[in-house]
Amino acid sequence: GGHVNAVADADRVYFTLERGVDATLRSVMYTWDGTTVNGPYTVADGNGVPKMTKKGDSLYTVSIAPGATTINLHGCPASATPSTWTHVSDPIAVADAYVWDPSICADGGALRVFAAPSTAVPDRQWIVQTFSNDNGNTWSPVKTVSTGGCGEYWWEYWPVAFPDEFDGEGYVLFFTTEGFDGVYGDGMIGAIGDDWEQGNNHTFCIQPAIDMTQDGDTVLVGEGTWTGDGNRDLDNLGRSITLMSHRFIDISADSTIIDCGGSTSDPHYGIFFHDNTSETTYFNGFSVRNASSDFAAVRCSSSACMVNFCSISENDCDGLFGSNGSYLRVYNSSILGNSGRGVTGRYSSGAGVPEITNIEVAGCVMRGNTSHGVSGDGVETSVLGCEIAENDSAGVYTNTVSDFKTEVHNTLIRHNGWYGIFLDRLMAGTFNIHRCTIVSNQTGIHFMYDFPKGFSPDQYAPAQDSSLLTNTIVAYNREMGIFQSFPVYDYHLWYNDAYGNPDGDFVNMPYGPGDESGNFSCNPRFCDTTSHDYRLYEISPCTPENSPCGSTIGVFYVTGCSLGYTCGDANGSGGDPAVDIDDIVYLINYIFASGTPPVPLEAGDANFSGFIDIDDVVYLISYVFSGGPEPCEVCQ
């Protein structure tokens, strides 16, 4: 005999075991009231490894049926002599596997049955469960509790479940582990609670969950940090699935971090989406860290991928990479501090036919990457409503080697080491840049056309009629504002403010301040450039009230800051006019005779230069006596 199992009530102990071997094998039951042992009573001939629970006035046993492909459930009224056992149902059978190690417990009103299927190839054993709310007559679909490791030799077996008496519902499952490495370790006892939806499969690693999916399925990953094999180098297997962190559906949860643990000598990435362009695969709410890869932390090839509310940061490679006809969309995410580009799309061709790759980046922050913030190398590129800052190279770089389009809308591009936007080799491609604020880069915008070898500009003159740069501020860059280095064929600049770029605001182009297209060079009057606040003062020439187009120029729709005083009214007298000769005298006395400062001090900054000096006196004299521009005039 062997595999003894027992339960008790106030009257007696019930215990079961298997007896005999091969042809004589059977599951039997005994009872003991403290004095007398009764039995054996046969539960099932040919069945082994019986396990038992008591629910109400009934006893239930599960055991392995002959052939080891099915688990049987038998029932009998509880008594001192439980001799009449009835086959109730078959809770568990698993295709293409033997099924061992059954276990049963009564969890409130439910019966729960567990078992440990196994396969020889791959060599693994795992745990499954099902439950019944009608005393074993019908059962829920069999679901996985563990997967037998994370892609390597591993066994999880001999499950034993107990009702959770502390919470009054649910259960705790104990099991044995055997393998090389993994979540629990070799030769240990593992324990888990039923803290997941019992109608779903459960795994200890991410990749085994992906392996179990079909198109349309969702993998929900718990909070915390996921490391090691099975939790990195993830592969969507070409399926249209959703990978979702717990925090994506519960903002109060902790982050879900995929820590790749990669290095140059031991490279690893986060996830690879591939070979699925008909439907979208979603990647929602994850943080991906410490990838080291030839491509990126997140790679999309020949696939439609959508990345939402993620943080792709501190990786020793590009953040995200799309190629081979992919449609890579990155929304509301942070791509920070990667050793490479933030988001990359690359042109590729298959069998001599171009595969058009699209990258769309919206509502994202790309900051502190060691190359471009966004790089579109011969692909359709869209950047919408982003902040691209402090990257070592260009904010946005595109190389439109074919008839592809670059669009950048409503985006703040600041303090990048190279160009704000570099449109390289425009050739047949088009662009549309609208309502951006581009400040403190090396050069704001660089248009470059470089015709192919064997052609001259006269022989190759692609039409660019749909290319536009509109309603954009290009200010305070370290060299040039808007720069055209080679002839760029027909494109249009409308209502742009290029200002304060020391090597020229409009360079090598037919556009400039005061042209018929409404371009100008005026101080945009940002709220506070030192704190990177590029909202606009009410007196800005880029507000709808003051701009030549009657709409906002730059990223920000509304006035962000107000003067709160009358500019030039140094003595604070108010009245009509508020600014007169008394203010000139007041300023002279303050500057040269240590007189009372203006209240507020900023009211004395008549030319809005940021400080008060003799130039403000000269400015007021011109205004009061010669009809010069008003104090803090919007464009000067």
Side-chain angles (χ1 to χ4, degrees):
H3 294 289
V4 178
N5 184 230
V7 295
D9 58 22
D11 299 319
R12 60 187 57 83
V13 176
Y14 307 87
F15 58 99
T16 184
L17 67 153
E18 67 176 28
R19 295 186 61 176
V21 294
D22 299 331
T24 64
L25 182 68
R26 60 186 177 131
S27 295
V28 299
M29 169 76 71
Y30 294 84
T31 67
W32 178 55
D33 61 8
T35 303
T36 304
V37 174
N38 296 319
Y41 306 102
T42 298
V43 176
D45 285 322
N47 288 38
V49 193
K51 299 295 170 64
M52 176 176 48
T53 194
K54 185 173 182 289
K55 180 175 181 289
D57 295 329
S58 297
L59 298 170
Y60 295 94
T61 66
V62 286
S63 55
I64 303 172
T69 59
T70 305
I71 300 300
N72 293 157
L73 175 73
H74 292 83
C76 180
S79 69
T81 58
S83 59
T84 305
W85 287 87
T86 303
H87 174 258
V88 179
S89 59
D90 299 331
I92 293 177
V94 178
D96 302 320
Y98 291 106
V99 185
W100 313 103
D101 306 346
S103 179
I104 186 170
C105 75
D107 169 19
L111 288 174
R112 298 192 180 274
V113 173
F114 302 82
S118 72
T119 57
V121 180
D123 185 356
R124 70 185 183 108
Q125 190 170 16
W126 67 101
I127 300 172
V128 297
Q129 61 95 12
T130 181
F131 61 89
S132 172
N133 291 317
D134 59 3
N135 295 323
N137 291 297
T138 59
W139 294 88
S140 66
V142 175
K143 296 295 182 179
T144 296
V145 175
S146 75
T147 51
C150 301
E152 60 180 75
Y153 168 85
W154 192 265
W155 283 8
E156 290 152 357
Y157 57 106
W158 283 339
V160 179
F162 295 92
D164 187 341
E165 296 180 358
F166 293 98
D167 292 337
E169 60 182 15
Y171 61 87
V172 178
L173 181 72
F174 296 87
F175 57 95
T176 301
T177 71
E178 180 183 349
F180 296 141
D181 193 13
V183 174
Y184 293 99
D186 191 6
M188 298 178 68
I189 302 298
I192 56 173
D194 66 334
D195 56 352
W196 76 95
E197 172 55 52
Q198 299 302 307
N200 297 330
N201 294 302
H202 174 270
T203 71
F204 296 140
C205 300
I206 301 172
Q207 186 62 53
I210 296 173
D211 295 343
M212 298 168 65
T213 61
Q214 299 177 356
D215 286 348
D217 283 346
T218 294
V219 175
L220 177 62
V221 183
E223 57 193 303
T225 300
W226 297 77
T227 62
D229 293 339
N231 297 312
R232 60 187 180 187
D233 304 326
L234 301 174
D235 188 328
N236 80 316
L237 305 175
R239 298 170 185 167
S240 300
I241 58 176
T242 296
L243 280 82
M244 183 186 303
S245 76
H246 188 61
R247 192 176 191 185
F248 189 76
I249 59 175
D250 180 3
I251 193 62
S252 66
D254 290 337
S255 297
T256 299
I257 301 170
I258 297 174
D259 188 338
C260 304
S263 64
T264 303
S265 59
D266 185 23
H268 294 283
Y269 55 85
I271 189 164
F272 180 27
F273 301 105
H274 60 90
D275 297 319
N276 178 41
T277 57
S278 61
E279 300 290 340
T280 298
T281 293
Y282 298 89
F283 190 64
N284 298 336
F286 291 90
S287 295
V288 182
R289 303 280 187 272
N290 298 319
S292 180
S293 167
D294 290 338
F295 288 97
V298 176
R299 182 186 174 193
C300 184
S301 175
S302 301
S303 190
C305 316
M306 184 180 291
V307 177
N308 293 300
F309 293 97
C310 288
S311 173
I312 314 297
S313 304
E314 306 300 329
N315 297 288
D316 190 18
C317 53
D318 288 356
L320 300 102
F321 184 94
S323 64
N324 297 89
S326 291
Y327 185 11
L328 172 60
R329 287 165 287 177
V330 187
Y331 297 156
N332 304 303
S333 295
S334 299
I335 300 97
L336 310 175
N338 299 288
S339 296
R341 295 156 293 195
V343 179
T344 302
R346 180 169 295 173
Y347 172 88
S348 57
S349 61
V353 179
E355 297 176 323
I356 299 176
T357 294
N358 293 266
I359 59 173
E360 181 176 307
V361 186
C364 295
V365 176
M366 282 143 288
R367 186 170 59 240
N369 302 288
T370 64
S371 185
H372 310 309
V374 175
S375 176
D377 189 359
V379 304
E380 296 276 354
T381 304
S382 296
V383 181
L384 311 170
C386 295
E387 179 182 350
I388 306 176
E390 301 170 17
N391 301 285
D392 288 359
S393 196
V396 176
Y397 169 86
T398 63
N399 177 357
T400 52
V401 297
S402 187
D403 190 14
F404 298 137
K405 184 175 183 178
T406 297
E407 60 177 0
V408 186
H409 292 179
N410 301 89
T411 292
L412 173 62
I413 303 175
R414 66 170 182 84
H415 294 90
N416 295 285
W418 198 28
Y419 301 101
I421 299 177
F422 184 20
L423 303 179
D424 188 10
R425 288 183 287 175
L426 285 169
M427 294 167 62
T430 60
F431 64 86
N432 189 319
I433 302 169
H434 178 65
R435 288 208 49 214
C436 294
T437 298
I438 303 172
V439 294
S440 300
N441 306 281
Q442 177 179 306
T443 286
I445 302 175
H446 183 176
F447 300 111
M448 180 177 177
Y449 164 67
D450 185 10
F451 53 85
K453 292 181 179 179
F455 290 85
S456 70
D458 292 336
Q459 294 170 311
Y460 189 84
Q464 295 273 6
D465 290 339
S466 61
S467 289
L468 300 172
L469 170 62
T470 57
N471 293 64
T472 290
I473 299 172
V474 185
Y476 305 121
N477 295 284
R478 296 185 296 278
E479 294 181 0
M480 293 172 283
I482 305 172
F483 172 49
Q484 172 183 295
S485 60
F486 287 90
V488 180
Y489 290 89
D490 195 15
Y491 64 99
H492 306 285
L493 271 65
W494 292 336
Y495 306 116
N496 303 287
D497 181 11
Y499 176 83
N501 305 285
D503 293 341
D505 295 321
F506 297 87
V507 181
N508 291 348
M509 60 177 58
Y511 299 95
D515 62 23
E516 63 182 13
S517 298
N519 297 290
F520 59 96
S521 291
C522 296
N523 185 340
R525 308 298 173 87
F526 295 125
C527 286
D528 187 359
T529 57
T530 59
S531 64
H532 312 314
D533 183 354
Y534 297 105
R535 296 176 298 162
L536 304 173
Y537 272 104
E538 59 189 5
I539 61 171
S540 169
C542 300
T543 61
E545 295 78 12
N546 300 322
S547 71
C549 56
S551 60
T552 301
I553 297 173
V555 171
F556 301 102
Y557 281 91
V558 296
T559 300
C561 39
S562 175
L563 290 179
Y565 58 88
T566 299
C567 186
D569 184 13
N571 63 4
S573 63
D576 185 16
V579 179
D580 55 21
I581 190 172
D582 291 340
D583 295 295
I584 297 173
V585 173
Y586 193 98
L587 267 187
I588 291 173
N589 187 51
Y590 167 65
I591 294 171
F592 296 106
S594 300
T596 303
V599 179
L601 186 64
E602 293 84 353
D605 184 12
N607 63 0
F608 209 72
S609 63
F611 48 88
I612 299 174
D613 58 14
I614 188 62
D615 290 341
D616 296 294
V617 174
V618 173
Y619 193 96
L620 287 184
I621 291 172
S622 175
Y623 167 66
V624 172
F625 296 106
S626 303
E630 294 184 2
C632 297
E633 186 176 89
V634 297
C635 189
Q636 42 182 281

